[in-house]
Amino acid sequence: MELLEQRILEEGHALPGNVLKVDSFLNQQIAPDLSLKMGEDFAAHFAESHIDRVLTIEASGIAIGLTTALKLGVPLVFARKKKSILMTEEIFSTEIYSYTKKEKNMVLVPKKFLPANENVLIIDDFLANGDSALGLARLVKEAGATVAGIGIVIEKSFQQGYQKVLDAGYPLYSLARIKSLDNCKIEFMD
Ligand code: 5GP
């Protein structure tokens, strides 16, 4: 998505350790217009996949998950990283290692918001080693639902997640694909 690539080049900062900082439009401050366009792009790509529900993880997945769900006309549900006292019903849970926080979190979704036999579209902001996307996929499988696709805003194609998701057989669609962040320089795939 050209608009997104432009924005990444203009406002993104490649930090040491293969991390891209895009807090001005995705991870802290959120650009509503761009989020809407990204949601439209995901929805158009997965238009024929009979999506029943969008699943993401708090916090950065929520805005983009919302615009995607809006355009698909389906509900959005997000996994929490901490149990709330309001989560009184039965839950699905799995452990996910956080790439940026360098810690494991138990992530949780109430069972009533992940019914069996649905087609679920997983949306996330970044794909690095694949822990987050594959963890969400585990929740979908545990629910007896199907992972109809995985939509990623920024895929770091040089890390392991890309191959792991493909090996698992999930349809993957990424709006921007980064070839390298070497020497803190952002390079996209051709
Ligand atoms: P993975 O689970 O695929 O290793 O990493 C994906 C998750 O880690 C995303 O949900 C995102 O929050 C975070 N993440 C991974 N790489 C980056 C990055 O380069 N920049 C930012 N801002 N977040 C990242």
Side-chain angles (χ1 to χ4, degrees):
M1 189 186 185
E2 211 176 310
L3 198 66
L4 173 63
E5 289 188 1
Q6 263 174 27
R7 198 79 178 237
I8 293 170
L9 288 176
E10 282 165 17
E11 298 178 30
H13 299 281
L15 304 181
N18 284 327
V19 181
L20 181 65
K21 184 170 172 176
V22 280
D23 59 350
S24 62
F25 63 89
L26 185 63
N27 292 129
Q28 185 76 56
Q29 176 170 264
I30 291 170
D33 52 346
L34 180 64
S35 300
L36 198 55
K37 291 206 165 71
M38 294 195 288
E40 281 168 358
D41 197 324
F42 281 133
H45 183 85
F46 290 104
E48 307 301 322
S49 303
H50 306 287
I51 304 297
D52 296 303
R53 186 174 300 262
V54 173
L55 171 67
T56 190
I57 183 163
E58 66 171 344
S60 298
I62 295 178
I64 184 67
L66 177 68
T67 57
T68 305
L70 178 74
K71 290 293 160 186
L72 286 169
V74 300
L76 164 71
V77 61
F78 67 90
R80 286 189 188 274
K81 292 178 181 161
K82 270 210 170 113
K83 188 156 191 219
S84 146
I85 53 164
L86 297 171
M87 285 180 117
T88 50
E89 304 95 343
E90 283 192 87
I91 51 170
F92 293 118
S93 64
T94 191
E95 201 172 64
I96 296 182
Y97 179 77
S98 165
Y99 184 89
T100 46
K101 300 199 177 72
K102 307 284 177 219
E103 63 182 24
K104 285 180 184 170
N105 288 116
M106 212 54 187
V107 306
L108 319 136
V109 179
K111 287 190 176 180
K112 66 177 178 185
F113 295 132
L114 214 44
N117 303 318
E118 284 195 350
N119 287 322
V120 178
L121 173 61
I122 292 172
I123 294 287
D124 204 6
D125 59 342
F126 272 88
L127 180 65
N129 290 326
D131 293 294
S132 179
L134 292 173
L136 293 175
R138 281 198 299 280
L139 293 177
V140 174
K141 279 177 81 177
E142 199 188 335
T146 301
V147 178
I150 297 182
I152 298 289
V153 176
I154 303 175
E155 170 191 302
K156 293 186 290 178
S157 313
F158 57 92
Q159 293 183 312
Q160 294 169 23
Y162 164 72
Q163 197 56 48
K164 282 194 203 163
V165 166
L166 293 188
D167 289 347
Y170 300 127
L172 173 65
Y173 178 60
S174 304
L175 301 183
R177 303 185 68 216
I178 293 184
K179 182 159 80 179
S180 159
L181 292 174
D182 287 350
N183 304 316
C184 296
K185 186 170 175 288
I186 303 167
E187 270 185 70
F188 294 104
M189 301 285 279
D190 298 327

